[in-house]
Amino acid sequence: MRKKLQVEAIRQGTVIDHIPAGQGIKILDRLQLLDSNASITVGFNLPSKDQSHKDIIKVTSRMLTEQEANQLALFAPTATINVIDNYEVVDKFKMALPESLQGAFSCPNSNCITHNEPVDTHFSLREHKGDVRLKCRYCEKSFSKDIVAEL
Amino acid sequence: MENRLYKRDIISIADFNRNDLELVLETAAELKNSPRPDLLKGKVIASCFFEASTRTRLSFETAVQRLGGTLIGFSDAGNTSAKKGETLADSVNIISSYTDAFVMRHPQEGAARLASEFSSVPVINGGDGSNQHPTQTLLDLFSIRECQDKLDGLKVAFVGDLKYGRTVHSLAQALCHFGAEFTFIAPKALAMPDYILEELDEKGIKYRFSDSIEETAPQVDIIYMTRVQKERFDETEYKHIASRYILDVDSLKEAKDNLKILHPLPRVDEIAVEVDKTPYAYYFQQAENGVYARQALLALVLNEVV
Ligand SMILES: [Zn+2]
């Protein structure tokens, strides 16, 4: 069978592959990719060898910051990030859950001091029974990742 | 014992290891036996209460005075620049530049941790919203050690509002260092939160649930009572709940001889006044101990050797 690319190849940029189906749209939103000038190609619900269905996002001429990659790990722990230069994958990495996240999300606790003061939020992450819990450095409350990221 | 608390911020009981806790309790016991009016001589302590809390403030301020320190500060944020919209970060930055330590209370969770990042001197948390109140936990531990002559392997029952009671959460966490066993007695709506139970599970701490003080009293060394706030229930529901979570003399018929009852105070009606005269009551000594626990903490934070 002839292999055919589902989504066109890009010359330079980032390909976020193996996103769990359905999460792609959230990633676009979360990383505010649509607000940038980068041209974006997306594929939703594509057939995937190991996941049955996946989403894929290709962003031209743009690299992800470490912060963005960390946020991705939260939404799409199975995703891979491919850095493309001249149509070739020059770097490829799997998502790993970071130990902490700074400035990425606001604290769900409305009485947390971080809402009124000149500081970045700071969560430490840990896995608990298949969920990721984020603990606020300031108010010390723990939240499921779904609450923090408003999934 | 090495003083790891010297120049440290005191924000959360979770920052203390067993040695730190023992050092504070040991020092508190020494200061209770022999006063040291010189330990804070020449030191200026800020006592900044962005939210009024008369008991905690008086207890801290007494502790400073008894150690020979000087106080500046305010007892509620009403007339301060915080009211005019100054950030806490700026207030702390400025006030800490005048002083040797910064004692604070604030209505928002995380305020003390944040303050510690903007303060040039050690910050001592006197309560931040529903989050932490580490000196309350230290005085609770000190009182438990004092009335039981030990801290290891005690059986402790917590009664009342275990959901919102931060003193309960912190004390349970601190007692984990000493291999305690817990019984939780609370209405369903005010049960111990899951995240605390998960922590106990992870540490291998034994706990059970009960709905009877009377049945629990013969099995435990400490009963830690808390107040069930009326506002959280409608009237009939409250009456029903209150009747089950009130400690009276009858419920202590079979109690162990060494049982002691603690309460962070103020009490409303959850401990019948008749209990005050029994040998089990220890809550007034507990309140007095607040001054010694706070003295110990201030002394250790501001002196390398005490
Ligand atoms: Zn928070």
Side-chain angles (χ1 to χ4, degrees):
Chain A
M1 197 178 89
R2 206 179 121 223
K3 281 197 175 164
K4 194 171 170 240
L5 277 177
Q6 296 264 4
V7 183
E8 207 180 325
I10 57 172
R11 193 169 71 82
Q12 200 210 14
T14 307
V15 175
I16 308 166
D17 199 358
H18 302 107
I19 302 165
Q23 298 288 322
I25 194 99
K26 288 174 190 158
I27 289 168
L28 284 175
D29 182 39
R30 189 79 231 172
L31 303 186
Q32 298 182 321
L33 291 171
L34 296 173
D35 299 342
S36 68
N37 289 324
S39 53
I40 297 160
T41 319
V42 293
F44 292 150
N45 258 331
L46 305 181
S48 159
K49 258 185 282 176
D50 39 348
Q51 282 172 272
S52 82
H53 286 91
K54 66 173 184 183
D55 293 350
I56 189 166
I57 298 175
K58 303 192 176 197
V59 192
T60 308
S61 309
R62 189 179 186 282
M63 302 298 152
L64 293 186
T65 63
E66 194 187 334
Q67 170 114 295
E68 289 172 323
N70 283 341
Q71 289 192 47
L72 264 183
L74 215 53
F75 295 101
T78 56
T80 47
I81 296 179
N82 302 280
V83 180
I84 313 286
D85 193 22
N86 204 18
Y87 296 105
E88 300 225 354
V89 177
V90 293
D91 202 358
K92 184 177 184 126
F93 42 100
K94 270 194 113 53
M95 293 286 70
L97 206 60
E99 276 181 15
S100 66
L101 274 177
Q102 246 171 298
F105 305 101
S106 60
C107 182
N109 173 7
S110 60
N111 199 38
C112 178
I113 192 76
T114 53
H115 295 289
N116 318 73
E117 293 285 323
V119 287
D120 275 346
T121 58
H122 189 138
F123 294 97
S124 58
L125 278 66
R126 78 187 169 99
E127 285 194 77
H128 182 82
K129 291 179 183 163
D131 182 25
V132 176
R133 296 288 173 90
L134 290 88
K135 184 173 187 183
C136 174
R137 169 184 165 79
Y138 294 95
C139 69
E140 302 187 28
K141 304 272 180 290
S142 267
F143 307 94
S144 155
K145 74 163 197 298
D146 297 351
I147 294 171
V148 177
E150 298 172 75
L151 287 179
Chain B
M1 216 188 292
E2 189 209 353
N3 179 7
R4 285 207 331 136
L5 300 177
Y6 180 52
K7 291 190 173 168
R8 222 170 87 182
D9 300 303
I10 307 298
I11 307 299
S12 169
I13 208 71
D15 301 337
F16 284 74
N17 64 26
R18 181 180 165 129
N19 280 343
D20 300 337
L21 294 171
E22 283 179 334
L23 177 62
V24 177
L25 304 186
E26 198 58 51
T27 308
E30 280 168 22
L31 290 172
K32 188 168 182 173
N33 278 329
S34 42
R36 298 272 304 273
D38 54 335
L39 278 171
L40 296 187
K41 210 165 173 193
K43 309 273 189 204
V44 179
I45 315 295
S47 161
C48 295
F49 279 61
F50 296 88
E51 166 189 68
S53 172
T54 307
R55 284 161 201 257
T56 302
R57 181 172 62 83
L58 292 180
S59 176
F60 263 117
E61 295 185 359
T62 306
V64 171
Q65 311 266 23
R66 292 222 185 272
L67 296 177
T70 310
L71 282 153
I72 63 162
F74 47 87
S75 57
D76 72 74
N79 296 317
T80 68
S81 42
K83 184 108 192 222
K84 296 177 197 146
E86 183 178 50
T87 61
L88 175 62
D90 282 358
S91 306
V92 172
N93 196 336
I94 294 157
I95 299 167
S96 71
S97 72
Y98 305 155
T99 60
D100 298 291
F102 190 93
V103 174
M104 65 177 284
R105 185 181 185 102
H106 197 280
Q108 284 185 282
E109 288 101 57
R113 181 78 66 194
L114 182 131
S116 72
E117 292 169 357
F118 291 89
S119 171
S120 51
V121 297
V123 170
I124 297 175
N125 186 3
D128 59 334
S130 68
N131 182 31
Q132 284 280 332
H133 194 7
T135 56
Q136 175 73 45
T137 308
L138 291 168
L139 79 88
D140 289 344
L141 282 176
F142 178 62
S143 302
I144 292 173
R145 194 182 90 141
E146 187 179 67
C147 68
Q148 300 293 332
D149 276 326
K150 63 169 189 175
L151 269 179
D152 278 298
L154 292 172
K155 296 192 160 107
V156 180
F158 290 99
V159 184
D161 182 352
L162 309 189
K163 183 174 181 185
Y164 300 100
R166 64 179 171 188
T167 56
V168 167
H169 304 161
S170 303
L171 181 57
Q173 286 164 317
L175 281 168
C176 287
H177 291 293
F178 303 93
E181 272 179 46
F182 301 122
T183 303
F184 301 125
I185 306 178
K188 249 206 183 86
L190 298 176
M192 201 74 165
D194 285 341
Y195 76 90
I196 300 276
L197 299 180
E198 283 167 13
E199 261 186 68
L200 301 181
D201 288 336
E202 278 166 20
K203 290 177 182 153
I205 299 291
K206 282 193 209 157
Y207 59 87
R208 60 188 203 91
F209 304 94
S210 167
D211 48 17
S212 161
I213 300 174
E214 193 172 357
E215 279 167 28
T216 303
Q219 301 163 24
V220 296
D221 307 299
I222 298 285
I223 295 180
Y224 195 98
M225 295 294 297
T226 64
R227 188 161 62 92
V228 172
Q229 286 180 283
K230 249 189 193 130
E231 308 86 83
R232 302 205 192 276
F233 300 91
D234 68 43
E235 207 173 319
T236 42
E237 205 182 359
Y238 175 77
K239 272 187 190 144
H240 173 72
I241 282 168
S243 69
R244 280 174 71 181
Y245 301 94
I246 281 180
L247 180 72
D248 53 24
V249 175
D250 273 354
S251 49
L252 296 169
K253 284 194 302 260
E254 311 277 324
K256 287 171 64 168
D257 290 343
N258 68 317
L259 173 77
K260 290 287 183 280
I261 297 154
L262 300 183
H263 188 303
L265 304 181
R267 88 172 134 179
V268 181
D269 51 11
E270 57 278 2
I271 301 177
V273 282
E274 296 84 57
V275 176
D276 297 0
K277 287 174 270 167
T278 70
Y280 307 118
Y282 209 72
Y283 24 93
F284 295 118
Q285 288 95 321
Q286 180 191 3
E288 182 201 331
N289 281 337
V291 174
Y292 302 114
R294 290 178 175 113
Q295 278 187 45
L297 201 55
L298 285 159
L300 289 164
V301 166
L302 287 160
N303 296 278
E304 195 162 6
V305 181
V306 175

